Amino acid sequence: MEFIDKKVNEGVSSARNDALKKAKVTFCFFFDCDDTFNTQIVENV
């Protein structure tokens, strides 16, 4: 796991874009504290 330390608050979009640049995955989901989701949102096909 790697941490990204944003020295200046540039907002959630900037933080997510930085994370996506470093991601080494096929799929990436972002969930905010007020989101709800089905636990089967991702299934192996």
Side-chain angles (χ1 to χ4, degrees), residues 2-7 14-20 22:
E2 181 178 340
F3 291 93
I4 301 170
D5 187 5
K6 301 289 282 184
K7 302 293 184 194
S14 175
R16 288 180 176 181
N17 287 335
D18 287 352
L20 288 172
K22 292 181 176 271

Side-chain angles (χ1 to χ4, degrees), residues 11-36:
V12 68
S13 296
S14 175
R16 288 180 176 181
N17 287 335
D18 287 352
L20 288 172
K21 289 176 190 171
K22 292 181 176 271
K24 298 176 182 164
V25 295
T26 303
F27 300 101
C28 184
F29 294 88
F30 292 104
F31 296 102
D32 295 319
C33 63
D34 59 346
D35 291 340
T36 59

